[in-house]
Amino acid sequence: MAKTNPLNSSPKQKQSRHSVTIKKDKCKGCKLCVIYCPTKHLRLSDTLNKRGVHYAEINETTQCVGCGRCYLMCPDCCIEIIEE
Amino acid sequence: MKPTYKFKKPELLHGVDTHYCSGCGHGILHRLIAEIIEELNLKEKTIGVAPVGCAVIAYNYWDFDCSEASHGRALAVATGIKRVHPSLTVFTYQGDGDLASIGLAETMHAANRGENLTCVFVNNACYGMTGGQMAPTTLIGQKTATTPLGRDPREKEGWPLKVSEILAMLPGVCFVARSSISNPAHVKQTHDYIKRAFMNQTEEKGFSIVEVLSPCPTIWQKTPEEAMNWIDTEMTKEFPLGIIKNTEVHR
């Protein structure tokens, strides 16, 4: 009988996923969330919002790790993080 | 299914748009104070006193009782409120021009009397609302509207006033700390200090003040990112971070 690695044989744990919600019309485009995001999950948009600024939007190519740095640094409280 | 929020806007913060500039530190501090009052379950037991300065209409953004004071007199007004309602938690939210310049007499005497109050002191090294004039806390060499060549102590302008260190010498003061909001770690540290200052008041320990180094990108003529870096590299040299005093006042 081949030895099995106990770590591999254990059932796969459910990974928690996080999603970021941004209120785009409240965003003033200060870019602090973009700077402090460790996975570059946020970026500034190419289009303008109601205020006439390039607002923060989600970069779909990377994943949110749910660290909350964007939430901590957002001066306008327009970022919230949902755990799924 | 209702989503589970890991990070959510505090309920004590109204969802209205603030009038602050892009990258202003007031927004972060308003959120921290709302979070702390929520955590300590003080919603119906708190009265805030708003200052004169950029945060003059701070009461429009918080969902708890607030009062307004004339320029610099927030701690005098807070003293009155606290003496009439000793069971309530009373805090002031003041800028450096308000607390350290025009209201220095009120600040010193409220602290010296050992009033059981909490004071959040927002230090952005300039007068933000009136157009960027020199404040007592302006750094040496910093250019402002009234010091276009930079603040020079050998001329007429004097040295930066370290209010927290001065207040720490008074026996009525129980907690003095200085922090900044220049990165996520410092924001969390600021949260802890302000929470400690509120808890000191509920435990009737005496006067607590937390000085927060806050960015003013518009007046400093920097981007929000550069302003945050400037706090870390320049401001913290003159105003070192940390707890300056932490004792219990014996009445």
Side-chain angles (χ1 to χ4, degrees), chain B residues 164-165 168 174-181 185-186 189-190 192-194 196 209-213 235-246:
Chain B
S164 293
E165 276 85 350
C174 77
F175 182 74
V176 185
R178 188 187 282 122
S179 65
S180 83
I181 47 172
H186 287 159
Q189 186 73 75
T190 306
D192 288 357
Y193 286 158
I194 299 177
R196 181 77 256 160
I209 179 168
V210 180
E211 177 177 349
V212 184
L213 306 183
M235 273 186 96
T236 47
K237 276 186 207 160
E238 190 66 46
F239 300 108
L241 307 181
I243 294 176
I244 299 164
K245 186 182 186 183
N246 188 9

Side-chain angles (χ1 to χ4, degrees), chain B residues 2-59:
Chain B
K2 228 178 165 186
T4 39
Y5 282 94
K6 192 170 182 191
F7 295 96
K8 193 178 186 307
K9 179 182 81 67
E11 280 174 15
L12 290 185
L13 204 62
H14 286 309
V16 296
D17 291 3
T18 60
H19 70 287
Y20 301 121
C21 307
S22 171
C24 177
H26 277 306
I28 299 176
L29 273 166
H30 284 6
R31 194 196 65 234
L32 287 181
I33 289 173
E35 271 176 4
I36 288 161
I37 291 174
E38 221 170 82
E39 283 167 23
L40 297 175
N41 209 7
L42 291 172
K43 185 192 171 182
E44 300 295 331
K45 301 171 201 153
T46 300
I47 299 181
V49 184
V52 169
C54 281
V56 66
I57 51 169
Y59 44 77

Side-chain angles (χ1 to χ4, degrees), chain A residues 28 36 66 71-72 75 81 83, chain B residues 4 6 18 20 31 35 182:
Chain A
K28 293 174 184 166
Y36 287 103
Y71 168 83
L72 284 172
I81 299 179
E83 196 171 11
Chain B
T4 39
K6 192 170 182 191
T18 60
Y20 301 121
R31 194 196 65 234
E35 271 176 4
S182 56

